[in-house]
Each structure stands twice: as structure tokens, then as C-alpha cells.
Amino acid sequence: MSVLGRVGFRLAARLPGANRVAAARFSSVATQPDLKLQTPKKKGDKQFKIYRWSPENGEKPFLQTYTVDLDQCGPMILDAIIKIKNEQDSTLTFRRSCREGICGSCAMNINGVNTLACLCSIDTSSTEPIRIYPLPHLFVVKDLVPDLSLFYAQYRSIQPWLQRKEPKAPGQKEYLQSKEDRKKLDGMYECILCACCSSSCPSYWWNSDRYLGPAVLMQAYRWVADSRDQNTAERLASLQGDFKVYRCHKIMNCSATCPKNLKPAQAIVKLKEAMNSGSSDLGFVHDVMYGDVFSGRHAEDLDKAQIQ
């Protein structure tokens, strides 16, 4: 036992109560051996196979392999891609901005999953290379940059802004709503329009020219559910038809892949229920024809629907 340890035990024997406990703790710490600093384990190199295609050279798409020293790289996929562009290949093209999962710019397909490169960590437990592609089933501008022109045009078509029929009263500055009404928007207003969900939806792959897709439909319902908006009937009427909403067959890829953990499929179900609020509504007829299953209220209305 060290000298400090013997002093601690003698001090503990002479002091009563709490002081004795403190002295005993001091003696136990004093008797512990010196701890040596441990050298952190090296992560080593990691291979990344990245989709490459440029409209300028006329070559077919291919996967290019890059090797990155993870000990000199940040923990996220986006860190590795930026490092590759800065140090190995300046021609590599991709979108990125905030690096915090807010802007949605760095959406891409990583090891078969649509996600944000800034929120996807590098898997150091596997020796397999990480494969990175642009978002699937979209036209590619270059390398990892998809063409989102149609996606944004569809978003614009739902008129995603507050629409009022009554002007503000004199002196009124804000459109107020209750806490309960405000809570209805949770899980929808957080959408960053990264298109991960829409580009993972088979229905959108097949009918992207007419089906609006989960991201846009969730935003459509976000304004339908907003108590401050006064154009609900017109919004719902604009969504009627065979394809805009009713190509959703609840495959659930959208909710499974959302990097913000939102639930577009749930919002689409609620949107359909809003459109189906009436047994004579054509929307409900479409649901029955395509075999969609909804809430108990719709199940009870099933025998009331007259399908011709």
C-alpha cells in the first residue's frame, strides 16, 4: 500500500460519519495504479464505389472505386465524398449544403437505401465497400445529381402556401390557431423535400408523370389539415382523379426510408379520408375498386357504397 493509502486509512479511523466516508474514498483512489493513455484503434482504409456518369463524354455509367483513410476523415458518408472530391477527384459531382440534415440536398442511394449522406455514418464494422448511387428512377444530371424538375413542379402544383378568403381584421398581425390544431401539423411540416420517399416508391416509378408521390401528397395534406387555411374544398377537388392520389397502394417504402423518420404513408391515408368524407364521393369508390383498406369507418361504409 502506498504512503497516501496508509494516511487515508489512518485519517478515516479518526474521523466520524461523513468525513470518514470521504477519507475512505480518498484512500481508495490513492491506492489505484496509474492509468496509461491508450492509443485509439486505427480505422484503416475504406473503399467507396461511386456511380459516375457525365453527359459530356458520351460514356456509359460506371462505378468508380475510391479508397479513403478513415483516420483522416469525418464519420459521415458526406465527409468521405467531400474528401474524395477535394483530394482525389475534383470532377466528382454531387449536391450538398447544410451538412445537418436540414436542406435535403445530399439525398442519394447508399448501399441500397435512400437517405441523406450527411446523416448516414460510415460503416467501419464491415470490410465491404460502400456503394453510392443517385436517387433511383430519376433522370441523372451528372454523377450523383438527380433531375428534380418534375418533383418540384409537382410540389408547386399543390400551391403550398396559406390561402385565405377572409382578409385580416384591422390590427390583426397573425392567424392564430389552438395548440391542438397546431399539433396536427407535427410530422409533416418537418419535411425537407429531399425526395428520398418519392424515389423509393414503386407507384411513383411507374406513374411519376401523373402520380404526385408521397412527399408532395404529405405536403398537400399538411395544408388541408391546417386550421388557418380556408381553401380546403378547392385543394381536395384539385386532387381528384385516377392518378394524383389513388396510385398509392401503401407499399410503405416511403415511411421506411424517410431520413427524418416522418410517415408520408399515414398522411396519404388521412388525405384520402378527407377526400372520402361522403359515401357518394368518387374517391371512396376508387379505394374499393383498387382494394385499399382504410379505417373502421370506411369498412362500415363498404356495404353502403354503390359501385357501378
Side-chain angles (χ1 to χ4, degrees):
M1 181 181 296
S2 66
V3 175
L4 287 176
R6 291 196 295 270
V7 172
F9 278 117
R10 289 175 183 174
L11 182 61
R14 295 179 182 178
L15 296 176
N19 292 331
R20 179 180 297 175
V21 174
R25 289 177 179 171
F26 166 74
S27 65
S28 64
V29 172
T31 57
Q32 289 182 355
D34 294 335
L35 298 178
K36 295 181 179 180
L37 294 178
Q38 295 182 354
T39 303
K41 184 179 180 181
K42 290 189 176 183
K43 301 176 183 178
D45 295 340
K46 186 75 173 181
Q47 285 191 338
F48 293 82
K49 293 183 178 294
I50 300 180
Y51 177 95
R52 303 300 308 274
W53 178 79
S54 174
E56 300 168 357
N57 55 28
E59 296 181 1
K60 293 183 178 180
F62 63 96
L63 288 180
Q64 187 164 348
T65 302
Y66 302 92
T67 301
V68 176
D69 182 2
L70 297 185
D71 296 302
Q72 303 296 324
C73 179
M76 299 300 178
I77 296 292
L78 184 59
D79 294 319
I81 298 177
I82 292 176
K83 187 176 179 65
I84 291 171
K85 183 176 180 65
N86 291 343
E87 300 178 5
Q88 300 185 40
D89 189 349
S90 61
T91 67
L92 179 60
T93 306
F94 56 94
R95 290 191 181 108
R96 54 100 172 180
S97 182
C98 73
R99 300 179 60 155
E100 298 292 339
I102 300 299
C103 69
S105 299
C106 64
M108 52 191 71
N109 184 279
I110 302 173
N111 282 342
V113 178
N114 290 356
T115 187
L116 300 178
C118 64
L119 297 183
C120 182
S121 59
I122 300 172
D123 185 7
T124 58
S125 62
S126 173
T127 59
E128 292 294 320
I130 294 177
R131 289 173 168 81
I132 304 175
Y133 294 84
L135 291 177
H137 295 272
L138 297 174
F139 290 107
V140 176
V141 178
K142 185 179 180 181
D143 293 343
L144 300 176
V145 179
D147 185 355
L148 296 177
S149 301
L150 176 61
F151 177 77
Y152 290 132
Q154 291 170 329
Y155 179 59
R156 191 183 304 114
S157 72
I158 65 168
Q159 301 182 359
W161 55 82
L162 188 67
Q163 299 182 17
R164 299 278 299 181
K165 296 179 180 179
E166 300 175 359
K168 289 183 179 179
Q172 182 182 3
K173 296 183 179 180
E174 299 174 339
Y175 296 115
L176 302 179
Q177 62 182 165
S178 66
K179 292 182 179 180
E180 291 75 17
D181 287 337
R182 168 60 186 79
K183 193 173 182 180
K184 294 177 182 179
L185 306 182
D186 289 347
M188 294 185 290
Y189 79 89
E190 301 95 330
C191 175
I192 58 176
L193 298 174
C194 64
C196 282
C197 62
S198 292
S199 58
S200 71
C201 174
S203 294
Y204 192 73
W205 301 344
W206 304 326
N207 304 285
S208 60
D209 57 334
R210 290 180 287 179
Y211 174 53
L212 294 181
V216 173
L217 290 178
M218 181 168 70
Q219 291 308 300
Y221 182 68
R222 175 253 179 275
W223 291 104
V224 168
D226 196 324
S227 62
R228 299 166 296 179
D229 192 272
Q230 296 180 335
N231 217 31
T232 302
E234 291 81 356
R235 290 184 186 277
L236 294 176
S238 68
L239 295 173
Q240 290 292 349
D242 291 339
F243 282 87
K244 286 186 177 181
V245 178
Y246 293 102
R247 291 297 95 180
C248 173
H249 299 303
K250 296 179 293 301
I251 301 172
M252 302 299 291
N253 282 6
C254 55
S255 297
T257 198
C258 177
K260 304 292 284 186
N261 296 317
L262 306 181
K263 299 178 180 178
Q266 184 181 71
I268 295 174
V269 168
K270 292 181 179 180
L271 179 61
K272 288 182 177 180
E273 288 181 341
M275 297 173 67
N276 298 337
S277 57
S279 59
S280 62
D281 186 83
L282 288 177
F284 180 65
V285 175
H286 278 293
D287 292 339
V288 177
M289 290 175 65
Y290 290 113
D292 290 344
V293 181
F294 288 92
S295 64
R297 178 178 63 82
H298 286 156
E300 294 173 358
D301 290 343
L302 183 60
D303 53 359
K304 299 179 183 178
Q306 296 180 356
I307 304 176
Q308 298 179 355

